Amino acid sequence: MPLTVAVQMDPMESIRIKGDSTFALMLSAQARGHRLFHYQAGDLSWSNDRLWTQAHPVTVQRVEGDHFRFGDPVRLDLGEEADVVLMRQDPPFDLGYITATHLLERIAERTLVVNDPASVRNAPEKVWVLDFARFMPPTLVTRSLADARAFLAEHGEIVVKPLHGNGGKAIFKVGRDGANLASLIEVFNTAYREPHMVQAFLPTVAEGDKRIVLVDGEIAGAINRIPGEGEIRSNLAVGGSAAKTELTPRELEICAALAPELKRRGLLFVGIDVIGGEWLTEINVTSPTGIVAIDAFNGTDTAGMIWDAIERKHEGSRR
């Protein structure tokens, strides 16, 4: 049955269609006959238990620079007129993002929201992963320079990154001499009100940082993201390159440990990051990426797998 799908995302003209996971999801939905609408999180309005947005009907095509067509904007009642809301805008995970999750939570009993908005709000990438600390590298969350220095003395080399950062931005390696650690913590404490994440540096990052995609708790596929020359960051957005890969026994163990909790929380499309085949660093639930590269290497249809899961859940909710 065709579904009405509202996609909460960034401006259509800003996306890079070659590797964009949201665009791949939209193409797949359109091919199935689903009707697509586009809106941004700031367009949401609520009153008298009704949540609506100014949305554009949209059609998409895989033509660079001419990849979408908007129809005339409409007032779309997300609780009454939409079957599915895809919450796909990129972080930052700021108050605007958090507010959108609160508003969408108010219609979650009537409209399927993917991923579940309350779970997205309560599972930020670098915080929820602490529930699975047994799979993580040595980690410290702090604003304290003294604690960061003690952690550096214990582990020799460390990485410092924002707790709510994304896309490989503002990730710094600090060597054994601790040069610039004080300045770095000072800058971070000025820029961010929250604590920061400090982790032992993993030399195996040179071999790659795997992105593993799980759909409703099931492994859909993975790619290995390899840092560029002179980089420790492997994110494709900052110059990393993708390579075909297989999962290690440890990675399969991590996925098996996560699966029941992902299903319980309604986190249908999730991407996890694992370094060196064994160290879990993030659980990405806000706007996971990587499905285009995975499908290119493996000949799979991850977008189709995601829509199969969405359609099952939607059908189950109507019974």
Side-chain angles (χ1 to χ4, degrees), residues 81-133:
E81 298 172 320
D83 297 300
V84 178
V85 172
L86 291 184
M87 191 166 56
R88 290 290 304 171
Q89 84 269 21
D90 287 339
F93 193 74
D94 56 13
L95 281 175
Y97 208 125
I98 291 169
T99 301
T101 68
H102 280 291
L103 292 173
L104 289 170
E105 188 180 5
R106 296 179 178 276
I107 62 164
E109 294 299 318
R110 290 172 280 165
T111 301
L112 177 62
V113 183
V114 178
N115 286 320
D116 178 85
S119 293
V120 168
R121 184 176 65 248
N122 293 331
E125 274 79 352
K126 296 183 184 71
V127 179
W128 183 41
V129 70
L130 302 177
D131 283 5
F132 302 91

Side-chain angles (χ1 to χ4, degrees), residues 145-215:
L145 174 58
D147 287 343
R149 279 176 167 157
F151 191 82
L152 174 64
E154 179 180 359
H155 296 288
E157 295 179 301
I158 61 174
V159 170
V160 183
K161 50 191 174 182
L163 198 61
H164 296 295
N166 71 295
K169 301 182 185 74
I171 298 177
F172 295 88
K173 179 185 174 186
V174 178
R176 295 176 182 277
D177 61 2
N180 294 321
L181 178 60
S183 296
L184 182 59
I185 295 298
E186 179 182 339
V187 169
F188 269 45
N189 282 350
T190 300
Y192 308 107
R193 297 183 63 184
E194 66 272 12
H196 327 300
M197 178 165 274
V198 185
Q199 291 183 318
F201 174 68
L202 302 173
T204 50
V205 74
E207 302 167 11
D209 176 358
K210 285 185 192 174
R211 164 57 57 86
I212 305 170
V213 168
L214 297 102
V215 177

Side-chain angles (χ1 to χ4, degrees), residues 3-260:
L3 302 175
T4 297
V5 180
V7 188
Q8 177 178 301
M9 60 181 290
D10 298 316
M12 285 296 299
E13 58 270 18
S14 71
I15 63 175
R16 299 176 180 179
I17 68 170
K18 185 176 180 180
D20 190 90
S21 293
T22 305
F23 188 74
L25 286 169
M26 295 173 77
L27 281 172
S28 182
Q30 182 175 273
R32 291 174 179 233
H34 301 325
R35 188 182 182 200
L36 295 171
F37 290 84
H38 171 278
Y39 75 95
Q40 297 184 60
D43 297 329
L44 291 170
S45 299
W46 180 93
S47 182
N48 295 325
D49 202 31
R50 306 295 287 269
L51 180 66
W52 69 91
T53 183
Q54 284 292 112
H56 288 271
V58 60
T59 57
V60 289
Q61 59 181 359
R62 195 176 290 283
V63 178
E64 191 73 49
D66 187 25
H67 56 279
F68 72 98
R69 291 279 191 278
F70 274 163
D72 293 334
V74 298
R75 184 182 187 272
L76 185 67
D77 187 319
L78 296 177
E80 300 298 328
E81 298 172 320
D83 297 300
V84 178
V85 172
L86 291 184
M87 191 166 56
R88 290 290 304 171
Q89 84 269 21
D90 287 339
F93 193 74
D94 56 13
L95 281 175
Y97 208 125
I98 291 169
T99 301
T101 68
H102 280 291
L103 292 173
L104 289 170
E105 188 180 5
R106 296 179 178 276
I107 62 164
E109 294 299 318
R110 290 172 280 165
T111 301
L112 177 62
V113 183
V114 178
N115 286 320
D116 178 85
S119 293
V120 168
R121 184 176 65 248
N122 293 331
E125 274 79 352
K126 296 183 184 71
V127 179
W128 183 41
V129 70
L130 302 177
D131 283 5
F132 302 91
R134 65 191 184 278
F135 298 119
M136 295 178 68
T139 297
L140 168 71
V141 177
T142 190
R143 290 175 63 88
S144 165
L145 174 58
D147 287 343
R149 279 176 167 157
F151 191 82
L152 174 64
E154 179 180 359
H155 296 288
E157 295 179 301
I158 61 174
V159 170
V160 183
K161 50 191 174 182
L163 198 61
H164 296 295
N166 71 295
K169 301 182 185 74
I171 298 177
F172 295 88
K173 179 185 174 186
V174 178
R176 295 176 182 277
D177 61 2
N180 294 321
L181 178 60
S183 296
L184 182 59
I185 295 298
E186 179 182 339
V187 169
F188 269 45
N189 282 350
T190 300
Y192 308 107
R193 297 183 63 184
E194 66 272 12
H196 327 300
M197 178 165 274
V198 185
Q199 291 183 318
F201 174 68
L202 302 173
T204 50
V205 74
E207 302 167 11
D209 176 358
K210 285 185 192 174
R211 164 57 57 86
I212 305 170
V213 168
L214 297 102
V215 177
D216 203 20
E218 301 294 325
I219 297 169
I223 52 169
N224 195 27
R225 301 170 300 175
I226 301 171
E229 185 71 25
E231 268 284 1
I232 64 167
R233 301 174 299 171
S234 58
N235 307 71
L236 302 184
V238 294
S241 60
K244 187 177 176 63
T245 191
E246 301 291 337
L247 298 189
T248 66
R250 169 78 164 188
E251 288 165 340
L252 292 172
E253 180 187 358
I254 292 170
C255 292
L258 286 170

